[in-house]
Amino acid sequence: MKFRKQHIVSPTQRVFVYKNKQFDRVLGPGKHSFWDFNNQLEFVTYSIDSLYFAAPDAVRMYHTYPELHTHISHFKLTEQEVGLLYFNDALKGVVAPGESLYLWKDAGEIRLERIDISEQFYVEESTLKLIEKAGLNLASKLIKSPKTAACKPIYEITIEREHTGFLFADNELVHELPAGRYGLWQFNRDFELQTFDCRTISAQAGAHIYDKHKELTSISHQVLGPEEVGLLYVNHVLKGIVPPGEHLYLWKEAGDIHMERVDISNNLYVDHSLLASINQSGLNSASKLFKAPTTQASAPIIDVSVESDHIGLLYVNNTLVRELPPGQYGLWQFNHNIELKLFDCRTQMLEVSGQEILSKDRVSLRINLSASIKVIDTKLAAQSVDNIESFAYNALQLALREAVGTQNLDDLLLDKLYINETVKDIVDERLHAVGVELNHVGMKDIILPGEMKTILNQVVEAQKAAEANVIKRREETAATRSLHNTAKVMENNSTLMRLKELEALEKIADKIESLTVYGGLDGLMNNVVNLGDQQQRRETNV
C-alpha cells in the first residue's frame, strides 16, 4: 500500500482536498505530496479557465469555508441591478438581476459593474455599442442561474428621422423619445413602443396619450373658439385650415408652427390674397382640414363668382345680408348656411310658342309670342318669385289667352297690334310688382287649322274674283264711253273718218300675205268694206 501521494496542479487548475469527505484545503499550481495512511484523502480538480466556480454546493462551501475567499470572488446583485462582468478589462458578459456569482480570482482581473435599473433603465450608448460589439445581446449569452428565464438583456429600438416615440413600461408611459437609437434593460419589465410620423403635422393620432399626460413636450395643444377658424402655418407656409371649436394637436417636431385665428362671427369674407393662396395650395377641401375624425365638415370656403352684368344676393342662414356686384368672392361656411342667388340684369328674350287658344268665335288658333324682360330690382325679385323666367312665361301665357279669347278671328286678323298692346298692358303691372320690367311684346305669327285655312283661302279667292269682275266691268264701260265719243267726233269730221279707215286697213294688211288694189284708194276702201259685209253675211247664214 502506498501511503505517500503526490498531486500535480497546473496553472489553470485548482484542486480541492477533502479528508474524510470534509473540505481540507485548496491546492494551487505546483507539485504537492501528502501522507495518506488510511486512504482518507480525496482530490477534486476545477479549471479556472471557465471563470465561474460551478461546484454543486458552491454557495454552501463559499460561506462555510473562509479559506475559499482567497481563491473565489463572490458578487450578489439585487433584483434591480444588472451586472456588466469584465475580465482583464474586456467585457465578458451581462449578468441578470438578482444573480449570485462565484468567480475564480486566480483566472485574471475580474470587475463587475453594477447598474441600477430601478429608475434608469436606458442603456448608455457607449455600453450598448460595447455589448453589441462583443455579441452579448443574446439570451444564450446571458449570465444567469438555471432558475432564471433566458431573455435578451437589451431591448433595442430605433426611431427614424422626423418621428417621435412614446415608451411604455408595464402599460405606463415612461418617456417620449425623439429620433435616435436606444437600448433598454428589459429585465423585470414589459416594454411597448408607439411611434408617430411628425411629417403629418397633426398629432391627432397621439391625442389620447397627450390627454392623459399633459406634461408631454413633443405635442402642442390648441383649442379654437366656436366662431374661430384657424390658419395653420408651418415654416411660414400655409399647410391647412382648422374648423371652429376644434381641439388641435400638433407635432412640434414638424417645424416652426404658427396658427392664425380668424374671427368669423361678424365677417365671413375671405381676403382675396388668402383665397388665392388657399386655392393654389388645394386646401379648400373637407379632406384637407385639420380636424378630429368625428368632426363632420365640408369644404371650408364657398368660392362664388358673379359675372359681369349680373347681381348676386348673399343669404346667410336664410337672411339677406348683402348685394354682391360682379367679382370673385370667398366666404367661410363653417356653422353657417350660405346661399347665393344670381340674377342676370341684361335684357332677356322669352318665347311663348305653340299656344293653342280658342278665339271668341271658337276658332282654334296656334299663336307664337315673343317678349323681352329685364330685372330692375333684384331684392324684390328674390323675395317675390323663385324663378323669374317661369313666372314671366306663365304671366305672358295667361295674358295671351285672355287677349285672344275675347276677340273674333276677323278682328284679330284686322288688328294684329291688339294682341301686343293688350298682353303688354296685362303683364306689365304684374312683372313690375316682382321687380321685372317688360320691354317689348310681339306676336310672331298666327297659325290656323288646316280646314279653316282652306275656307279662308276660298273666301279670299272669291273676294279677289269679285274685285276683278268689278274692275273688268268698269273698264268695259269706260271703253264704250270712249268709243261713243270717238264716233261723234268722226261723224262731223270726214278726214278723221278717213284716218280711222286707214288704221283699220293697216290692221287687215298685217294679217294677209298680198293685196291687189283696183280702182285706186276709193275702190280699195269700198271693196274692203264690201268684203267685210260679205263675210258678216256668211257667218250670219251659217
Side-chain angles (χ1 to χ4, degrees):
M1 178 179 292
K2 187 176 180 179
F3 298 106
R4 188 173 180 82
K5 294 181 178 180
Q6 289 185 343
H7 203 88
I8 299 174
V9 181
S10 70
T12 61
Q13 292 179 334
R14 294 295 181 269
V15 177
F16 283 14
V17 180
Y18 292 85
K19 186 175 182 180
N20 294 327
K21 304 297 182 180
Q22 296 294 322
F23 176 77
D24 182 65
R25 71 186 70 176
V26 177
L27 299 180
K31 185 176 180 181
H32 303 274
S33 298
F34 301 92
W35 292 102
D36 186 7
F37 297 102
N38 298 319
N39 199 24
Q40 297 175 333
L41 298 179
E42 181 181 355
F43 301 91
V44 179
T45 304
Y46 294 95
S47 173
I48 64 174
D49 287 340
S50 64
L51 184 62
Y52 305 102
F53 175 52
D57 56 348
V59 176
R60 181 190 64 80
M61 291 184 65
Y62 180 84
H63 294 285
T64 302
Y65 305 108
E67 56 267 32
L68 291 180
H69 296 180
T70 305
H71 304 279
I72 297 174
S73 297
H74 174 231
F75 301 97
K76 172 63 177 176
L77 297 176
T78 68
E79 295 296 332
Q80 297 299 324
E81 285 183 331
V82 171
L84 296 179
L85 181 61
Y86 290 87
F87 178 69
N88 295 330
D89 292 328
L91 184 61
K92 185 69 175 179
V94 179
V95 186
E99 292 294 325
S100 289
L101 295 181
Y102 297 90
L103 307 172
W104 293 108
K105 288 184 178 181
D106 299 334
E109 183 181 350
I110 297 173
R111 177 168 56 91
L112 181 68
E113 182 180 329
R114 299 170 183 265
I115 300 174
D116 185 357
I117 62 172
S118 59
E119 294 182 358
Q120 179 58 37
F121 43 79
Y122 292 102
V123 182
E124 293 184 359
E125 185 177 0
S126 58
T127 302
L128 179 61
K129 290 181 179 180
L130 188 62
I131 292 174
E132 288 182 341
K133 184 177 181 181
L136 299 177
N137 192 25
L138 298 171
S140 59
K141 298 288 187 177
L142 181 66
I143 300 174
K144 66 179 187 63
S145 61
K147 62 182 178 63
T148 302
C151 65
K152 287 181 63 174
I154 298 175
Y155 175 52
E156 296 179 84
I157 58 177
T158 300
I159 299 176
E160 299 178 359
R161 291 180 56 189
E162 299 179 319
H163 285 66
T164 291
F166 293 110
L167 181 65
F168 294 83
D170 301 327
N171 297 321
E172 291 292 333
L173 179 67
V174 293
H175 214 286
E176 51 185 325
L177 303 176
R181 184 166 173 266
Y182 303 90
L184 308 169
W185 298 111
Q186 61 177 341
F187 299 110
N188 307 328
R189 282 184 175 86
D190 183 18
F191 287 108
E192 179 188 0
L193 178 68
Q194 296 184 21
T195 59
F196 300 90
D197 189 348
C198 298
R199 293 172 295 184
T200 61
I201 304 174
S202 172
Q204 189 64 46
H208 64 286
I209 301 176
Y210 180 87
D211 290 339
K212 294 180 180 179
H213 306 278
K214 304 292 186 182
E215 69 278 4
L216 292 180
T217 60
S218 58
I219 295 179
S220 171
H221 178 217
Q222 300 189 45
V223 181
L224 293 175
E227 292 295 332
E228 284 184 331
V229 173
L231 300 175
L232 182 63
Y233 292 86
V234 178
N235 298 327
H236 308 290
V237 176
L238 181 62
K239 289 295 184 180
I241 299 172
V242 188
E246 193 70 23
H247 284 253
L248 187 63
Y249 299 86
L250 303 170
W251 295 112
K252 293 182 180 180
E253 183 68 20
D256 182 11
I257 296 177
H258 167 68
M259 188 168 71
E260 180 180 331
R261 298 171 184 259
V262 180
D263 186 357
I264 62 172
S265 58
N266 296 317
N267 183 17
L268 296 177
Y269 295 97
V270 182
D271 183 75
H272 287 289
S273 60
L274 177 59
L275 178 61
S277 177
I278 292 174
N279 288 334
Q280 185 178 2
S281 303
L283 299 177
N284 192 21
S285 170
S287 61
K288 297 297 183 68
L289 288 175
F290 279 84
K291 64 181 185 65
T294 56
T295 302
Q296 299 295 328
S298 57
I301 297 173
I302 178 171
D303 192 355
V304 297
S305 176
V306 181
E307 298 180 1
S308 59
D309 300 316
H310 286 65
I311 292 294
L313 296 183
L314 178 64
Y315 290 82
V316 179
N317 300 329
N318 299 319
T319 301
L320 177 63
V321 295
R322 184 181 173 187
E323 185 178 276
L324 300 178
Q328 189 80 16
Y329 301 91
L331 301 108
W332 298 110
Q333 59 178 342
F334 294 114
N335 306 332
H336 296 88
N337 180 22
I338 296 177
E339 180 184 4
L340 182 68
K341 292 184 179 181
L342 293 175
F343 292 90
D344 190 344
C345 296
R346 297 171 297 182
T347 299
Q348 303 177 56
M349 296 300 297
L350 283 181
E351 298 292 336
V352 184
S353 303
Q355 300 299 306
E356 298 283 350
I357 307 173
L358 285 176
S359 65
K360 186 178 180 181
D361 50 358
R362 298 183 180 180
V363 178
S364 178
L365 305 175
R366 182 179 296 171
I367 300 178
N368 295 327
L369 190 72
S370 177
S372 61
I373 62 173
K374 183 177 182 180
V375 179
I376 57 176
D377 190 336
T378 55
K379 293 182 181 179
L380 179 60
Q383 295 171 0
S384 304
V385 295
D386 181 54
N387 189 312
I388 292 176
E389 290 187 3
S390 178
F391 179 83
Y393 182 91
N394 291 333
L396 289 168
Q397 186 184 50
L398 295 175
L400 178 61
R401 292 181 178 276
E402 183 177 345
V404 174
T406 58
Q407 296 292 314
N408 294 323
L409 175 60
D410 292 340
D411 296 334
L412 293 175
L413 294 177
L414 289 174
D415 187 7
K416 295 183 179 179
L417 293 178
Y418 167 79
I419 293 180
N420 300 345
E421 295 171 353
T422 303
V423 171
K424 191 174 190 305
D425 291 341
I426 296 173
V427 177
D428 195 33
E429 184 177 352
R430 295 181 186 176
L431 294 185
H432 263 91
V434 297
V436 179
E437 181 183 53
L438 179 62
N439 293 330
H440 169 74
V441 176
M443 182 178 64
K444 298 173 67 175
D445 46 34
I446 299 178
I447 303 173
L448 299 173
E451 300 83 356
M452 184 58 66
K453 186 183 297 184
T454 302
I455 294 172
L456 285 179
N457 288 336
Q458 292 175 352
V459 171
V460 172
E461 184 178 354
Q463 288 176 346
K464 295 302 181 183
E467 291 177 2
N469 192 34
V470 170
I471 294 172
K472 182 178 180 181
R473 295 294 180 264
R474 187 185 304 121
E475 293 299 324
E476 288 178 352
T477 301
T480 302
R481 185 179 296 112
S482 176
L483 186 59
H484 176 71
N485 293 334
T486 302
K488 284 185 177 183
V489 173
M490 289 190 298
E491 183 180 1
N492 300 323
N493 193 330
S494 58
T495 303
L496 184 59
M497 182 64 180
R498 180 61 65 181
L499 288 174
K500 292 297 290 181
E501 291 175 351
L502 290 174
E503 184 179 346
L505 180 60
E506 183 182 4
K507 292 181 179 179
I508 293 173
D510 287 339
K511 298 181 179 180
I512 61 177
E513 294 183 358
S514 63
L515 179 65
T516 304
V517 179
Y518 299 97
L521 182 59
D522 291 337
L524 174 62
M525 297 303 298
N526 292 331
N527 289 334
V528 171
V529 173
N530 292 333
L531 286 173
D533 292 340
Q534 293 175 5
Q535 181 66 27
Q536 185 175 2
R537 284 195 299 269
R538 291 192 192 100
E539 292 177 354
T540 303
N541 292 331
V542 174

